[in-house]
Amino acid sequence: MYTVNLNNMTQQEFLDKYWQKKPVIIRQGFKNFQDPICADEVAGLAMEAEVESRLVHKEGDKWQAAFGPFESYEHLGSENWSLVVQALDNFSEEAAEMIEAFRFLPHWRLDDLMASFATPGGSVGPHMDNYDVFICQGSGKRRWRVGDRGEHVEFAAHESLLHVEPFDAIIDEVLEAGDIVYIPPGFPHEGVSLDTSMSFSIGFRANSGVSLMSAFADHLIDNDLGKALLTDPDRQVVKHSGEISNNDFESLKGQLQGLLDNKDVLKGFLGNFLTAAKHELDIMLPDEPFDLTEVSNLLTSHAIKRLGGLRAFYFEDTVEQGTCYINGTELEFCQDIAPGVKLLCNQSMIFPDDLGDMAYNAAFVELVALLLNQGYWYLAEAE
């Protein structure tokens, strides 16, 4: 189990002082850290079509980038290249456990866990991100330079690489195994590997207003919602037909606002949107479907573990009414199993002792059987 040491601050003190405010180096954030996955395994994942990966290197002074799957790496030599694999939590159970150390942040903000392998001199170049990121150094060493937030000029160093022009560093440090650098959005940064190294990045993304509105519009269309027409039965004669009056503006705004004020519609959209998989899941279907009696017995002797990358959330004021959201779908359940559903959403692994009497509740057993048979949860030994 990973536990992060926030420079001897409490989690709330860290949030108050640094979260979305300024970057910081957290020395030995993970004590005695060892790579949860080796470089060869990362390289192997990047050869799989369902895994999102990228190679970045330099040819002379020109940056180059390519997207996987890759067939080999020998042509790259032993220096100045970097391999990045996204959504490592979807494909490595051991690596996914790193995320557990950051459960003091809401899981709906999580983007993914990224792995980066780099040879000496390897880097993806100076850039800015639009998400908060905790970059944990694994084996080897990397030098990190981080600039201050400001008006930085970005440019395309390659059609697949958006870089930022040179910046003055407010952090210029070498990270060793277990060190973490936290970087909020908008701070330019660059990491350069000093030797063969691995690093692991836990990213927390916030959606822009335009991306939410675009997805909300799609949700309305897909679900045949928001089709009510604007009405104005008390229309008065106008003197200026080319004018949009303040009253008409308020009517148009109210039509849009009415959709946002409909909590059932908005929560249905947000629940589905925020739980939709960002990357392909490595679904673990059972060899044979579980029946209810089998699941009832197993819940008293085995732990159940959530599939890496799977998203499961609930709203605090509707979960007691029997609604949650799993992998982009609204799920209704018997209200009296709400405590069990909260456990499923809040914990990546549930042990028999966590469940108590819930293990004997027929409705909860039925729900767990459904989730096991969908491959969203799977059995694990209860240690």
Side-chain angles (χ1 to χ4, degrees):
M1 179 65 68
Y2 290 91
T3 302
V4 64
N5 170 31
L6 297 169
N7 282 350
N8 297 315
M9 288 182 289
T10 67
Q11 294 169 348
Q12 190 59 55
E13 286 172 341
F14 171 80
L15 295 177
D16 291 343
K17 186 172 183 179
Y18 294 106
W19 177 254
Q20 297 221 317
K21 302 173 186 70
K22 58 183 179 180
V24 62
I25 297 287
I26 305 169
R27 292 293 181 188
Q28 291 302 286
F30 287 133
K31 294 184 180 298
N32 304 313
F33 184 82
Q34 294 183 346
D35 296 339
I37 183 173
C38 72
D40 286 345
E41 291 174 298
V42 171
L45 284 172
M47 292 180 172
E48 302 294 335
E50 63 271 21
V51 178
E52 183 179 333
S53 59
R54 185 172 59 159
L55 269 173
V56 179
H57 68 286
K58 265 188 171 183
E59 291 183 359
D61 292 331
K62 293 186 177 180
W63 288 91
Q64 303 293 328
F67 291 93
F70 302 105
E71 295 182 358
S72 66
Y73 308 96
E74 287 80 5
H75 64 286
L76 295 167
S78 59
E79 294 182 338
N80 301 320
W81 60 275
S82 181
L83 173 66
V84 174
V85 169
Q86 299 288 156
L88 182 63
D89 46 316
N90 290 30
F91 303 100
S92 170
E93 181 177 316
E94 294 77 14
E97 292 181 3
M98 293 181 64
I99 294 172
E100 297 304 303
F102 299 93
R103 287 283 182 176
F104 61 92
L105 293 162
H107 202 63
W108 68 263
R109 286 281 262 113
L110 178 71
D111 189 28
D112 71 346
L113 169 65
M114 183 187 78
S116 170
F117 167 80
T119 57
S123 173
V124 296
H127 64 284
M128 292 190 295
D129 294 319
N130 58 0
Y131 52 85
D132 297 86
V133 62
F134 296 86
I135 305 172
C136 173
Q137 183 60 37
S139 56
K141 300 178 182 179
R142 293 192 193 189
R143 178 189 177 190
W144 282 96
R145 296 181 67 255
V146 185
D148 205 351
R149 184 183 277 151
E151 297 297 323
H152 298 282
V153 177
E154 295 180 290
F155 65 97
H158 178 274
E159 62 182 10
S160 301
L161 287 176
L162 188 62
H163 281 180
V164 65
E165 290 189 347
F167 57 86
D168 294 327
I170 57 174
I171 289 177
D172 189 343
E173 300 281 352
V174 173
L175 267 61
E176 301 184 18
D179 292 339
I180 298 171
V181 56
Y182 162 71
I183 306 173
F187 286 81
H189 54 279
E190 180 180 25
V192 179
S193 189
L194 302 183
D195 48 22
T196 300
S197 70
M198 292 278 291
S199 71
F200 303 88
S201 302
I202 298 96
F204 290 86
R205 184 179 298 275
N207 295 286
S208 66
V210 67
S211 66
L212 283 174
M213 290 301 292
S214 176
F216 185 44
D218 290 339
H219 176 79
L220 295 175
I221 294 169
D222 293 342
N223 293 277
D224 202 29
L225 299 170
K227 297 179 68 175
L229 301 177
L230 178 71
T231 59
D232 52 358
D234 299 321
R235 169 64 62 191
Q236 302 295 302
V237 172
V238 300
K239 295 181 179 179
H240 309 290
S241 62
E243 176 184 77
I244 300 173
S245 69
N246 290 337
N247 285 339
D248 285 345
F249 170 75
E250 291 298 326
S251 294
L252 291 165
K253 185 178 75 171
Q255 188 179 25
L256 296 174
Q257 191 66 51
L259 294 172
L260 296 174
D261 288 342
N262 187 322
K263 288 187 177 180
D264 290 338
V265 171
L266 189 58
K267 285 186 174 181
F269 156 66
L270 288 173
N272 292 341
F273 177 74
L274 293 173
T275 58
K278 306 297 182 183
H279 302 271
E280 186 169 344
L281 297 174
D282 189 18
I283 298 293
M284 298 182 63
L285 293 173
D287 295 332
E288 296 289 339
F290 290 96
D291 62 41
L292 298 184
T293 301
E294 184 181 12
V295 171
S296 181
N297 292 330
L298 288 169
L299 285 178
T300 62
S301 60
H302 285 68
I304 53 174
K305 192 164 187 178
R306 187 163 66 212
L307 185 71
L310 181 73
R311 294 167 178 263
F313 305 136
Y314 60 86
F315 289 102
E316 62 176 318
D317 59 348
T318 57
V319 65
E320 302 292 346
Q321 300 169 20
T323 302
C324 70
Y325 303 85
I326 298 175
N327 197 33
T329 301
E330 182 175 305
L331 178 66
E332 295 185 352
F333 54 86
C334 179
Q335 296 178 14
D336 64 0
I337 66 168
V341 171
K342 291 180 181 179
L343 284 174
L344 290 169
C345 294
N346 289 331
Q347 298 179 199
S348 61
M349 193 169 184
I350 301 175
F351 297 92
D353 289 347
D354 297 328
L355 291 174
D357 292 340
M358 196 61 60
Y360 305 98
N361 185 297
F364 184 74
V365 170
E366 184 176 359
L367 173 60
V368 172
L370 171 67
L371 297 173
L372 289 171
N373 288 328
Q374 290 176 328
Y376 290 163
W377 268 260
Y378 60 95
L379 295 174
E381 292 298 327
E383 298 178 358

